[in-house]
Amino acid sequence: MQHDLFAQVDAYIEALFVPQDAVFERALQRAEAAALPQIQVSAAQGKLLHMLALLCGARAILEVGTLGGYSTIWLARALPPDGSLISLELEPHHAQVAAANIADAGFVDYVDIRVGAALATLQSMRAANAGPFDLIFIDADKSSYVDYLYAALDLSRPGTLIIADNVVRKGEVVNDTSQDEAVRAVQHFNQELAELQRNGRVTCTVLQTIGAKGHDGMALAVVRA
Ligand code: SAH
Ligand code: DHB
Ligand code: MG
């Protein structure tokens, strides 16, 4: 099957470029033991996030959707000694698992998990003049992606990299008559990004991803103005 091949090639890539790492292994084990949904980014995608953070020299990172902190650790590992990461999570149980994983990874002094509905937290961050962030990773409920995008822009500066996970959804994103709420939400999100690009606010593309998590994609947007 095609998915099998995707997963095999991901395993091949991981064997070459993502060394076995006890911190990530324990993080995944803790998440599984706590019955968290297993929807974290793949190892190869985590490595990509890490490299994108290195490429932007990110000192201040914002993540929307922590889950067990797996992507958080990949991103935090790219931070310089004076860097910091804020991650927003609705579910206290997820945040608790993430906190244990982040402590295990040695990032308690770098990572701040804020529990609550991300839209409300983002609102209070804006009110407190937080940011600008160098990299913002959007990966929470798809129905709020457009709102997260505008909140992210408010917390950005020219050059900020905004990344959004899950914007292809097994290719369903090209199905104009999809009734799936998440698909419709990411279609709307991609349209908004295109409009922002037309207006010169961002420049974007979508990277299709295949691998252990099947077929999906990440939107990459650089803030221009
Ligand atoms: N970034 C993680 C995966 C995140 S999964 C990783 O790759 O490791 C999506 C997370 O978003 C879940 O933990 C879910 O509880 C959280 N979430 C859902 N709705 C939310 C909301 N309104 N505000 C904040 N987090 C939310
Ligand atoms: C789902 C959410 C994600 O963030 C993801 O990467 C994969 C699946 C989901 O809600 O189904
Ligand atoms: Mg995701």
Side-chain angles (χ1 to χ4, degrees):
M1 284 298 295
Q2 209 176 19
H3 182 266
D4 249 34
L5 184 59
F6 295 168
Q8 271 178 46
V9 176
D10 240 2
Y12 167 84
I13 294 167
E14 281 174 34
L16 285 173
F17 301 116
V18 189
Q20 294 270 330
D21 185 315
V23 165
F24 286 119
E25 278 166 27
R26 286 195 298 270
L28 293 174
Q29 276 164 14
R30 250 183 227 106
E32 194 182 345
L36 265 51
Q38 292 183 41
I39 55 173
Q40 67 281 336
V41 294
S42 70
Q45 289 170 343
K47 183 79 186 292
L48 175 66
L49 291 174
H50 173 77
M51 290 172 61
L52 290 170
L54 287 177
L55 274 168
C56 1
R59 258 187 74 234
I61 298 178
L62 173 63
E63 175 177 68
V64 184
T66 318
L67 193 63
Y70 182 78
S71 57
T72 317
I73 296 169
W74 273 113
L75 288 166
R77 283 202 175 172
L79 288 171
D82 63 343
S84 64
L85 185 156
I86 297 174
S87 189
L88 314 184
E89 174 55 53
L90 176 66
E91 299 292 340
H93 179 56
H94 296 184
Q96 222 167 48
V97 175
N101 285 334
I102 283 153
D104 189 11
F107 289 126
V108 267
D109 293 336
Y110 294 81
V111 175
D112 178 9
I113 303 169
R114 303 212 179 150
V115 182
L119 273 180
T121 310
L122 289 164
Q123 192 60 51
S124 58
M125 288 173 68
R126 272 191 298 194
N129 265 318
F133 292 91
D134 306 309
L135 184 155
I136 301 176
F137 179 47
I138 300 173
D139 192 21
D141 53 314
K142 311 310 160 197
S143 56
S144 298
Y145 260 37
V146 170
D147 294 322
Y148 295 146
L149 175 60
Y150 284 100
L153 284 171
D154 280 341
L155 294 166
S156 293
R157 54 158 175 85
T160 294
L161 176 63
I162 299 175
I163 307 170
D165 196 22
N166 312 116
V167 300
V168 170
R169 314 292 304 198
K170 298 184 166 60
E172 268 301 291
V173 75
V174 302
N175 176 2
D176 291 334
T177 59
S178 174
Q179 296 301 309
D180 182 310
E181 199 195 322
V183 171
R184 297 180 67 87
V186 298
Q187 287 170 334
H188 185 198
F189 176 84
N190 293 335
Q191 290 287 349
E192 288 297 315
L193 267 185
E195 178 66 13
L196 286 162
Q197 177 173 278
R198 280 191 289 275
N199 297 336
R201 190 85 201 275
V202 299
T203 187
C204 341
T205 193
V206 169
L207 186 68
Q208 288 195 73
T209 54
I210 54 169
K213 287 187 78 180
H215 178 203
D216 213 324
M218 284 193 193
L220 303 175
V222 177
V223 178
R224 301 291 283 163

